[in-house]
Amino acid sequence: DIQMTQSPSSLSASVGDRVTITCQASQDIRNCLNWYQQKPGKAPKLLIYDASNLEAGVPSRFSGNISGADYTFTISSLQPDDVATYYCQQYDNLSLFGPGTKVDIK
Amino acid sequence: QVQLVQSGAEVKKPGASVRVSCKASGYTFTNFGVTWVRQAPGQGLEWMGWIGKDNGDTKYAQKFRGRVAMTADTSTSTAYMELRRLTSDDTALYYCARDRGRPSQFDYWGQGTLVTVSS
């Protein structure tokens, strides 16, 4: 079975900071990876699909990339509205979410 | 606009079954699949399974096989998720989401249905 890890599990950063989250899969998932944002009390929202494609209507400060076997998610300039938990999700073999990264403002 | 509207909260006793509905509108129901995701209180997202867009093909997470059934009524654009033999560990918010693939991206979500299992 595929296992997904995310790091860090939580972070606190200042407004305007660059924030990066890393997701790793226990086996090759062939870039079949998406990123979601979930704010408290709300349903998740798709931000990035297929590792690096920005979903329509999502601000360009959000981006996804691939670095070797790691999948990275970056917020180029953290905004107060970005306080949320972020999840990666693989769909190469059925589907599975990572454990999540909670982001808040310092 | 695309909307997925789920049925209301449920309270069930251990050992019972629950059926959650998800009515879609604003798009052609048979052009997309539906995925089900749950979230226990204070916990992360857990993918449960997927039902396909046309022939009712299903895929379930190993954890739920034998205990879950996902169906769809194309005449009413409604998807259903039934979970049997409930335990307290099944207390969670259950979401349906429109799925672009088999599964792949979940681009529109329902509002969630809280299922509480308690004796």
Side-chain angles (χ1 to χ4, degrees), chain B residues 49-67:
Chain B
W50 162 91
I51 182 164
K53 60 184 181 179
D54 40 26
N55 63 359
D57 188 21
T58 52
K59 296 180 182 180
Y60 302 135
Q62 175 72 36
K63 175 179 179 177
F64 299 103
R65 284 176 206 163
R67 205 162 68 91

Side-chain angles (χ1 to χ4, degrees), chain A residues 1 33-34 36 38 41-46 48-50 55 87 89 91 94-99, chain B residues 37 39 43-47 59-62 65 95 100 102-111:
Chain A
D1 288 1
L33 185 109
N34 307 314
Y36 296 82
Q38 187 180 32
K42 300 292 187 181
K45 176 185 178 182
L46 176 66
I48 302 288
Y49 66 94
D50 294 347
E55 178 71 358
Y87 295 92
Q89 172 240 338
Y91 63 94
L94 298 179
S95 188
L96 179 67
F97 287 94
Chain B
V37 173
Q39 187 167 38
Q43 302 302 307
L45 302 172
E46 182 174 31
W47 182 79
K59 296 180 182 180
Y60 302 135
Q62 175 72 36
R65 284 176 206 163
Y95 290 104
R100 295 175 181 168
R102 304 179 51 85
S104 64
Q105 292 90 27
F106 317 145
D107 59 0
Y108 289 90
W109 293 66
Q111 82 276 19

Side-chain angles (χ1 to χ4, degrees), chain A residues 20-97:
Chain A
T20 297
I21 299 167
T22 299
C23 182
Q24 288 185 317
S26 58
Q27 62 192 63
D28 183 12
I29 56 171
R30 303 181 297 168
N31 299 346
C32 296
L33 185 109
N34 307 314
W35 291 94
Y36 296 82
Q37 175 193 66
Q38 187 180 32
K39 296 182 178 180
K42 300 292 187 181
K45 176 185 178 182
L46 176 66
L47 299 181
I48 302 288
Y49 66 94
D50 294 347
S52 59
N53 295 289
L54 190 68
E55 178 71 358
V58 173
S60 59
R61 65 180 181 274
F62 297 104
S63 65
N65 217 328
I66 306 155
S67 177
D70 292 351
Y71 294 87
T72 60
F73 171 81
T74 298
I75 307 172
S76 61
S77 177
L78 186 67
Q79 301 302 305
D81 188 50
D82 301 336
V83 170
T85 300
Y86 293 84
Y87 295 92
C88 60
Q89 172 240 338
Q90 71 82 19
Y91 63 94
D92 183 61
N93 184 345
L94 298 179
S95 188
L96 179 67
F97 287 94

Side-chain angles (χ1 to χ4, degrees), chain B residues 17-38:
Chain B
S17 299
V18 68
R19 190 191 197 205
V20 179
S21 68
C22 170
K23 184 169 177 58
S25 61
Y27 70 98
T28 302
F29 184 70
T30 50
N31 284 352
F32 295 85
V34 174
T35 240
W36 289 87
V37 173
R38 77 177 187 180

